């Protein structure tokens, strides 16, 4: 036994000596390799932003930036005097995102509270994977669901609802986002230590009070993060709005009218025959840039809010 | 040996002093976690305005008994209970007894400080708030009184709106005591409240317990026998889910009746 030990120690020592050079090399190479991979992702992002920026600048050589921002009409396909006012696309995008969030936030959050605070382990074990499967359904499926099921249903409830409208894709995008918000918020709430719930229960709180006044605030930064991811997805969602929202850029906040979102416009142009170098061709970059700025602002707001409301524990 | 017939033993010390009314009376109380019995036929009276210490080796059921007194033990889904625990004459195990009402009267301080991730002020104001007190002036007053009551006011009065997690462990524990005081409970249960604290913080909490017994009845679990001897009026010794001996603290530590108690307090096991 004793003998063995000595020889093992010696074995390790010998091995170490042999490997020292190789190990040193690996230790030095690994951080360089990791740095390069990080660099690649940063560089591609910068590359994308620059492409967007260049093409956008070309667009603004032809269309005055002031018109782009202030004009209330978006008629890029007019042969004479096309109109490039982004406002209708923005209103369409925001209207749909708003409808989606009105559907997704209450339902998603309620589901998260149920799963995290009320459901038994068995229920959670079944429901969580189902949520994750729902989150993986291709958006084109949701698009047809909106067009062939939700829209006809809504038309029965709201007489005179046009076939293409903002309401139907808005609701369906909301449904699509529910699993994401529920799942991410549930993660944030489950991460709140048990001891905090016990502290609140020991003061005579009801389960609902514990959920709403202790767990929810403690998980708020994670919950807000899930909302923002949801809004970003709603703003960036393309398929559902292209299929069910119509392609009528209307400056309206009336959900029963047909609208066009920024993404749907980009699809429309990409599928059409806009010739390379035409103003319409460049316009999709300007719209893309606007979309990018919107999601960027969203994320900044989210970071601010989640820092402001973070409850450290 | 005759471990569960300690009613006779209790009567004796009680007669020496003025009889205080009991806040809790456990009668033939049993508790199981699934199939495992954790508490066996406990008869245990806890007197008003006393500090009652529960000692015993790890795993003997001290925490389980303490958590039965405010029914926090029911958070474990497999728990089954039998027998009776009366709080001020009412059986708390009967389904008629509202658990929130019980916990409003019977506060609890945990082993590890567990303040909410909110400001110091909000931690203390939480209890009064959920019980319907909204008036700002009243809340301010409650917060100040409670923090003073927990001997931490001077340390935190200038930082009431900072996060409670900026406090030291000892301060956090006293904040948890203040949080508990804020709803003016009748009884305060403490489960090894100093085991996560340094010696100086421990001393502060022990002094605090001494002060608090003027107005509250305190039940404290401790595995530290010196602590039990220092701060309690009566001591109960638990072993393997049984209440082996329960008596005035000085009797338990100077002249225990049961060999097992003697073995434990002289450090022969546990
Ligand atoms: N949540 C639980 N589930 C199952 N058994 C438990 C649980 N909590 C405690 N027990 C068991 O009950 C017994 C008493 O535990 P506990 O009351 O925590 O002891 P103490 O506080 O005296 O150390 C132990 O045998 C322990 O294993
Ligand atoms: Mg314990």
């Amino acid at each position: 036994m004793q003998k063995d030990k000595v020889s093992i120690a010696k074995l390790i020592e010998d091995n170490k000596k042999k490997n020292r050079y190789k190990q040193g090399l690996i230790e030095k190479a690994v951080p360089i390799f990791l740095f390069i991979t990080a660099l690649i992702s940063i560089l591609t992002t910068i590359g994308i932003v620059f492409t967007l920026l260049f093409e956008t600048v070309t667009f603004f050589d032809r269309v005055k930036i002031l018109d782009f921002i202030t004009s209330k009409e978006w008629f890029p396909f007019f042969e004479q005097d096309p109109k490039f006012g982004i406002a209708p696309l923005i209103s369409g995008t925001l209207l749909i995102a708003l409808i989606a969030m009105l559907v997704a936030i209450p339902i998603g959050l309620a589901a998260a509270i149920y799963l995290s605070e009320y459901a038994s382990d068995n229920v959670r074990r079944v429901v969580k994977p189902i949520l994750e499967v729902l989150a993986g359904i291709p958006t084109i499926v949701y698009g047809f669901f909106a067009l062939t099921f939700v829209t006809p249903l809504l038309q029965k409830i709201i007489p005179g609802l046009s076939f293409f409208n903002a309401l139907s894709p808005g609701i369906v995008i909301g449904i699509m986002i529910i699993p994401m918000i529920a799942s991410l918020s549930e993660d944030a709430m489950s991460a709140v230590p048990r001891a905090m719930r016990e502290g609140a229960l020991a003061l005579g709180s009801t389960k609902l009070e514990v959920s709403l006044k202790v767990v929810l605030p403690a998980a708020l930064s994670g919950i807000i993060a899930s909302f923002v991811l949801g809004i970003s997805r709603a703003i960036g969602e393309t398929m559902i709005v292209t299929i069910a929202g119509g392609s009528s850029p209307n400056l309206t906040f009336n959900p029963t009218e047909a609208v066009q979102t920024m993404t749907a416009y980009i699809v429309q142009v990409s599928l059409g025959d806009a010739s390379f170098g035409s103003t319409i061709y460049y316009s999709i970059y300007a719209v893309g840039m606007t979309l990018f700025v919107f999601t960027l602002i969203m994320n900044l707001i989210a970071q601010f809010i989640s820092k402001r409301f973070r409850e450290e524990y | 040996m005759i471990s569960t017939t300690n009613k006779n033993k209790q009567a004796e010390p009680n007669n020496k002093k003025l009889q205080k009314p009991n806040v809790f009376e456990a009668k033939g109380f049993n508790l199981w976690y699934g199939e495992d019995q954790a508490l066996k036929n406990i008869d245990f009276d806890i007197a008003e305005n006393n500090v009652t210490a529960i000692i015993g080796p790890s795993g003997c059921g001290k925490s389980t008994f303490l958590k039965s007194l405010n029914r926090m033990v029911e958070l474990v889904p497999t728990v089954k209970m039998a027998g009776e625990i009366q709080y001020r004459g009412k059986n708390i195990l009967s389904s008629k007894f509202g658990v929130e009402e019980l916990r409003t009267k019977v506060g609890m301080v945990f082993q590890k400080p567990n303040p909410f991730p909110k400001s110091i002020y909000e931690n203390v104001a939480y209890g009064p708030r959920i019980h319907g007190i909204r008036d700002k002036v009243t809340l301010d007053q409650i917060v100040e009184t409670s923090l003073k009551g927990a001997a931490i006011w001077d340390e935190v009065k200038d930082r009431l709106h900072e996060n409670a997690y900026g406090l030291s462990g000892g301060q956090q524990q006293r904040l948890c005591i203040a949080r508990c005081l804020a709803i003016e409970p009748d009884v305060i249960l403490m489960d090894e409240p100093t085991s996560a604290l340094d010696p100086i913080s421990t001393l502060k909490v022990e002094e605090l317990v001494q002060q608090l017994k003027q107005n509250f009845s305190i039940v404290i679990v401790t595995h530290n026998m010196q602590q039990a001897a220092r701060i309690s009026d009566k001591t109960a010794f638990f072993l393997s889910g049984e209440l082996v001996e329960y008596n005035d603290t000085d009797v338990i530590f100077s002249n225990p009746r049961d060999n097992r108690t003697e073995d434990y307090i002289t450090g022969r096991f546990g």
Side-chain angles (χ1 to χ4, degrees), chain B residues 224-243:
Chain B
N224 178 335
M225 281 176 283
Q226 286 78 19
Q227 184 170 67
R230 276 195 299 267
I231 64 175
S232 70
D233 301 301
K234 301 194 82 175
T235 297
F237 172 57
F238 275 61
L239 186 64
S240 313
E242 287 176 44
L243 176 56

Side-chain angles (χ1 to χ4, degrees), chain A residues 130-151:
Chain A
I130 293 179
L131 282 183
E132 264 133 46
V133 169
L134 277 179
I137 294 178
T139 56
I140 186 109
V141 176
Y142 282 106
F144 280 109
F145 174 62
L147 191 69
T148 61
F149 181 75
V150 177
T151 302

Side-chain angles (χ1 to χ4, degrees), chain B residues 130-150:
Chain B
I130 60 161
H131 292 111
I133 298 170
R134 305 243 182 281
D135 179 52
K136 177 90 173 66
V137 180
T138 316
L139 283 175
D140 286 353
Q141 227 158 33
I142 293 173
V143 169
E144 182 171 343
T145 318
S146 309
L147 288 169
K148 278 181 176 157

